[in-house]
Amino acid sequence: MPIRRSVLHSGCVIGADGFGFAPTADGYEKIPQTGNAIIEDDVEIGANACVDRAVMGSTIVHRGVKIDNLVQIAHNCEVGSHTVMSAQVGVAGSAKIGEWCMFGGQVGIAGHITIADRTQSGAQAGIAGTVRKPGQVIIGSPAMDARRFARCTAVFKNLPEMYADLGEIKSKLEEE
C-alpha cells in the first residue's frame, strides 16, 4: 500500500537496524533486526531523522505525525497519530507514545514506557517513566509537572544561600 501525502526529507533513514547488541565475553554480538518500519499517511520526517526497524514486529509512525530534523525513533516504538517532535528528540526502544503529543527540542524518552495522549514536554526533558494521565505538561529531568518544575527551579538557584543559612541555624542550635 503506498504512503500518501507524506514527506521524507533529505538524509532521513527509515528502516535501519536498531541498536541491538548482547554482551559476550569477547565484546558485543549483534542481535538481528528482522522487523520493519511502517510510516502511515500524512507524515513528515525531517532531514537526518531516523526511524529504526523493529527487532521483531513493527516500528510504527502513525498518521499525521510530524518529526523534525535530527530526531531518533528507536526499534519497536509506536508514535501515535498527530504527534509532533522537534529537533533532537530521542525515543528509546519499545516506547509507546500516544496521540496528539508534543515534544520540544532535545526531549529524551526512555525505552519500554508508555506516554499518554496529548502529553506535552518541554525542551531537554528526560522522561524516564510511564506517563499515565493524558494532557499533562511536563519538563525537567526527571520530567515532572511544568508548574512544579518552575517552583523547583526557583528554589534550586537559591540553594547555595539556603545551605549557608541552614549551616548557621545548625551552629546556633548546637550552641544551645
Side-chain angles (χ1 to χ4, degrees):
M1 177 189 299
I3 300 171
R4 292 182 289 271
R5 300 171 306 279
S6 290
V7 178
L8 305 178
H9 287 277
S10 297
C12 76
V13 177
I14 310 300
D17 280 359
F19 191 76
F21 297 93
T24 68
D26 298 323
Y28 293 92
E29 183 176 328
K30 187 166 183 65
I31 298 169
Q33 310 287 293
T34 61
N36 63 9
I38 297 171
I39 308 298
E40 293 186 347
D41 295 341
D42 302 307
V43 168
E44 186 158 342
I45 300 177
N48 297 319
C50 297
V51 178
D52 293 341
R53 72 174 169 261
V55 175
M56 294 181 291
S58 299
T59 300
I60 305 170
V61 177
H62 286 286
R63 183 177 172 276
V65 169
K66 308 302 181 201
I67 297 174
D68 193 11
N69 303 335
L70 300 168
V71 170
Q72 166 67 28
I73 308 295
H75 59 268
N76 293 86
C77 287
E78 185 170 352
V79 180
S81 61
H82 306 290
T83 287
V84 294
M85 299 177 179
S86 68
Q88 297 179 335
V89 167
V91 184
S94 300
K96 304 296 181 216
I97 297 170
E99 298 180 347
W100 294 98
C101 293
M102 299 174 74
F103 300 98
Q106 295 184 331
V107 169
I109 300 169
H112 303 276
I113 67 169
T114 299
I115 297 179
D117 293 345
R118 298 187 182 277
T119 297
Q120 297 179 33
S121 188
Q124 296 186 329
I127 306 173
T130 290
V131 177
R132 289 180 175 82
K133 182 180 169 193
Q136 288 191 83
V137 179
I138 56 178
I139 193 167
S141 187
M144 64 181 78
D145 176 77
R147 290 179 299 251
R148 180 177 175 87
F149 178 78
R151 290 192 308 269
C152 290
T153 301
V155 170
F156 182 77
K157 61 185 174 184
N158 295 316
L159 281 178
E161 294 82 7
M162 293 170 68
Y163 185 72
D165 292 346
L166 183 61
E168 286 180 34
I169 292 168
K170 184 179 177 186
S171 292
K172 288 179 183 178
L173 287 173
E174 288 173 351
E175 289 173 8
E176 294 176 6

